[in-house]
Amino acid sequence: MARLTLGVLWDTLKAALIFAVFLIVVVCISVMAQGQTVPVYCKPDVIKAMGRIWMDSTNGTSGVESTFILNGTPEAYKIEFEKMSGEQMQQKIYTWPNTFAVIHVHPNRSGEYPSTPTNSYVQGSGGDTGMADRLGVDVYVVSNRGLTVYYPATKTTKKLREGFDWYKQKGCK
């Protein structure tokens, strides 16, 4: 009878040990997943801010641009909306030493990608990419054709989201 009890106890301990190892693995995977950073343009408050500048620009139909900047770091930032200047196809943008991104609307009649020194509404301005290179900030463009970005660190331009997917958190990566 004592052997049967010890056998049951041993089996219970083995099951508890296996369950404990399973929990440790699940916790480790969860911690590692939390260490993966979510791109700033996928964060709910940034998506909401993109929706606001889109509405401020009359959904890209008015020809005016609307902008906000991100100050701080991609992990800890503050959204600062720029005062709309009412200028057609351009906007004055004020940045701070800790600004790391500029996110703005391109009107529907302009390009979906950040403007370049040779392809800008305001000739001689350097365009979006010239500003990004000068200031060392990422420049995002919100448009009816999607969300694009220019990264000055790598001198690359990339389409991040198609159409109005920039307004959705689902599927953002």
Side-chain angles (χ1 to χ4, degrees):
M1 191 70 108
R3 280 194 163 170
L4 184 57
T5 305
L6 287 176
V8 169
L9 181 61
W10 178 248
D11 288 342
T12 303
L13 285 172
K14 284 193 308 189
L17 182 61
I18 290 169
F19 182 71
V21 169
F22 171 77
L23 280 180
I24 290 170
V25 169
V26 167
V27 168
C28 287
I29 289 172
S30 175
V31 167
M32 287 171 32
Q34 289 176 5
Q36 296 174 352
T37 57
V38 173
V40 73
Y41 61 89
C42 289
K43 296 185 178 179
D45 56 342
V46 173
I47 292 171
K48 184 177 178 181
M50 288 189 293
R52 175 178 160 180
I53 62 173
W54 180 249
M55 288 187 301
D56 287 349
S57 73
T58 320
N59 302 333
T61 62
S62 66
V64 298
E65 296 187 2
S66 186
T67 304
F68 66 91
I69 60 174
L70 297 176
N71 294 329
T73 68
E75 294 76 32
Y77 55 85
K78 183 171 183 185
I79 297 171
E80 299 279 348
F81 290 92
E82 294 290 320
K83 183 177 179 183
M84 289 185 63
S85 62
E87 298 170 278
Q88 290 290 302
M89 307 293 282
Q90 62 182 324
Q91 182 179 9
K92 288 179 178 54
I93 299 171
Y94 299 94
T95 61
W96 299 88
N98 67 341
T99 300
F100 67 92
V102 172
I103 302 177
H104 69 293
V105 172
H106 270 191
N108 297 342
R109 66 179 185 228
S110 68
E112 66 185 295
Y113 289 94
S115 59
T116 66
T118 59
N119 183 17
S120 177
Y121 183 78
V122 181
Q123 295 305 315
S125 69
D128 297 330
T129 61
M131 176 194 66
D133 288 336
R134 192 172 58 256
L135 300 174
V137 299
D138 298 340
V139 175
Y140 294 81
V141 170
V142 175
S143 76
N144 63 351
R145 293 170 302 283
L147 176 66
T148 59
V149 65
Y150 172 73
Y151 298 115
T154 59
K155 307 273 191 250
T156 57
T157 302
K158 187 175 181 182
K159 187 158 201 175
L160 302 170
R161 310 289 310 262
E162 289 287 338
F164 287 102
D165 284 350
W166 54 261
Y167 198 57
K168 304 172 191 168
Q169 190 171 9
K170 184 178 180 185
C172 193
K173 52 186 171 181

